[in-house]
Amino acid sequence: MSTLLLPLVMIAVLFMLFRSNKKRQEQATQMRSAMEPGSGVRTIGGMYALVKSVNEETVELEIAPGVVTHFIKSAIAAVLDPQEYDAIINGRPAEDEPADEVADEEEAADAKPLSLEKDAPEDVKDKGSADGEAPAAK
């Protein structure tokens, strides 16, 4: 009895796998059909670009101003909303985050330059750079 049940279970599992794969393919086809010139996309390699034109099997993407490349349609991983693309490419703040806080944080970061040197007296730092030798380690 169990010998008859095992093949039926395997067939059911295979059917479910093929069905989910078919759904994924249909979703990918719908997503790629939504591409039109001006859309922002992400490739399977993680590159963000703007769609310049859509051909039958390929798509022309502008990866930098004036730099247009050709990709096969299946290389497009996602078609992005205009707001999402703008936020990723231009580093715009999220809609729920006020722009003033971001500007204040940037001003604070610009006010105090970062240094990789440990806190040492100024005369030790100057001596090392003046005569070409590294400052003495503590």
Side-chain angles (χ1 to χ4, degrees):
M1 180 85 164
S2 65
T3 57
L4 293 175
L5 190 59
L6 183 61
L8 291 176
V9 170
M10 288 181 65
I11 290 172
V13 168
L14 286 174
F15 175 74
M16 291 175 65
L17 288 173
F18 286 131
R19 185 173 175 213
S20 65
N21 192 24
K22 185 177 178 183
K23 279 185 180 180
R24 262 187 260 128
Q25 286 177 345
E26 287 175 2
Q27 288 174 342
T29 302
Q30 288 175 353
M31 182 250 333
R32 290 184 186 112
S33 68
M35 280 189 301
E36 57 186 26
S39 299
V41 296
R42 183 182 70 239
T43 66
I44 57 175
M47 185 182 336
Y48 292 92
L50 279 175
V51 176
K52 285 308 214 178
S53 70
V54 180
N55 305 317
E56 193 166 318
E57 293 181 12
T58 62
V59 109
E60 292 180 17
L61 301 179
E62 184 176 35
I63 57 175
V67 180
V68 179
T69 59
H70 296 266
F71 281 82
I72 191 163
K73 282 185 178 179
S74 62
I76 305 302
V79 177
L80 307 172
D81 295 329
Q83 296 86 6
E84 181 183 8
Y85 180 79
D86 187 44
I88 291 170
I89 297 301
N90 298 318
R92 307 224 190 249
E95 290 179 14
D96 60 326
E97 184 179 323
D100 324 353
E101 292 178 15
V102 174
D104 292 341
E105 290 172 8
E106 289 174 357
E107 288 174 10
D110 291 340
K112 183 180 177 188
L114 298 175
S115 174
L116 296 177
E117 297 178 7
K118 292 184 177 182
D119 292 335
E122 291 298 321
D123 58 331
V124 173
K125 290 180 186 176
D126 293 340
K127 281 183 183 177
S129 62
D131 58 8
E133 295 179 5
K138 290 185 177 183

